[in-house]
Amino acid sequence: QALQAGVDGIIAQGGEAGGHGLRSDVANGTLALAARLVTLASRDTNIPVLAAGGIVDGRGVAAALALGCGGAVLGTRLWASNEALGHASFRKQLTLPSNEADQVVRTTVIDHIVNSYSEPPWPYPYDSVGMLRNDTSQTWEGRPADLEAALASNSDSVASKYKKAIAEGDPNIAAVYSGQGVGGIDAIEPVFGIIQRIDEEAIVVVNALSRLRH
């Protein structure tokens, strides 16, 4: 449908990505999705496909190029930059050594809460986010009926606490959006330096792969 609509490019966002995306039960992995979309896009067009999800360094970019992608989208990696918007306490969480891929969860809990007070609501099946596990996700994950009951009760404590946490930058309550590549991030840096380093890393990897034919 996207190709028929005449888009200029396609982003192949896998389930490893941070932020909003398809629910985990209907999402595909970045590599499989990107490879398939490259095949489909190359049949009749020259529309570039960009891989997204779990890519934070030159190795990930090189992998995307090997699949035939025109490049990659670096969501989580560029959120951990000096120029990025958002509360500094949230972005700092992305650099902590304790936050590896297994601390990332794709959950519908956050949108369940936010949709209770915000318009327009995130629609199914895009009503899920990739985020670092925290008290909110741990408390309500797998308990949609209980969460719905809490939100529908006379008390608005769940929603009000969440809104307050966003304003105050409390990562224990509010979502810190993150993809599964977060373990490869160890500092908040200028965007120029991040892109320059990733570009150099990708060139090294691609050159190394070219020697395999010998």
Side-chain angles (χ1 to χ4, degrees):
Q1 291 178 339
L3 293 173
Q4 292 173 354
V7 297
D8 295 320
I10 295 175
I11 296 176
Q13 179 177 305
E16 302 96 321
H20 280 92
L22 289 169
R23 292 188 177 200
S24 58
D25 58 333
V26 292
N28 297 113
T30 300
L31 293 181
L33 178 62
R36 180 57 180 159
L37 290 181
V38 166
T39 298
L40 294 176
S42 64
R43 288 178 177 174
D44 302 308
T45 71
N46 291 317
I47 292 175
V49 174
L50 304 179
I55 301 174
V56 298
D57 57 24
R59 294 172 298 176
V61 172
L65 295 176
L67 292 173
C69 292
V73 177
L74 309 171
T76 304
R77 174 59 273 197
L78 292 185
W79 193 34
S81 68
N82 294 339
E83 294 87 344
L85 301 177
H87 208 290
S89 64
F90 292 156
R91 290 182 285 125
K92 182 175 176 57
Q93 294 294 310
L94 302 175
T95 69
L96 299 182
S98 58
N99 285 327
E100 293 283 352
D102 58 359
Q103 289 300 311
V104 175
V105 61
R106 177 152 291 279
T107 179
T108 61
V109 167
I110 301 304
D111 280 331
H112 201 151
I113 296 172
V114 174
N115 282 352
S116 72
Y117 65 81
S118 179
E119 292 288 343
W122 281 91
Y124 173 89
Y126 305 100
D127 54 343
S128 79
V129 300
M131 60 175 283
L132 296 176
R133 299 179 191 274
N134 65 7
D135 292 347
T136 301
S137 66
Q138 296 293 84
T139 297
W140 298 111
E141 182 66 23
R143 301 173 56 203
D146 292 338
L147 178 55
E148 181 64 28
L151 291 169
S153 68
N154 292 330
S155 170
D156 66 344
S157 61
V158 175
S160 61
K161 286 180 180 178
Y162 190 80
K163 287 188 282 187
K164 181 180 179 182
I166 293 177
E168 296 179 349
D170 182 355
N172 295 313
I173 302 298
V176 176
Y177 297 140
S178 173
Q180 293 181 12
V182 66
I185 301 173
D186 57 15
I188 305 295
E189 305 171 277
V191 167
F192 180 83
I194 294 172
I195 296 299
Q196 184 178 52
R197 182 177 65 250
I198 289 177
D199 183 56
E200 293 171 351
E201 291 171 350
I203 291 173
V204 170
V205 173
V206 170
N207 287 339
L209 290 175
S210 68
R211 293 195 292 270
L212 293 178
R213 61 184 177 182
H214 302 299

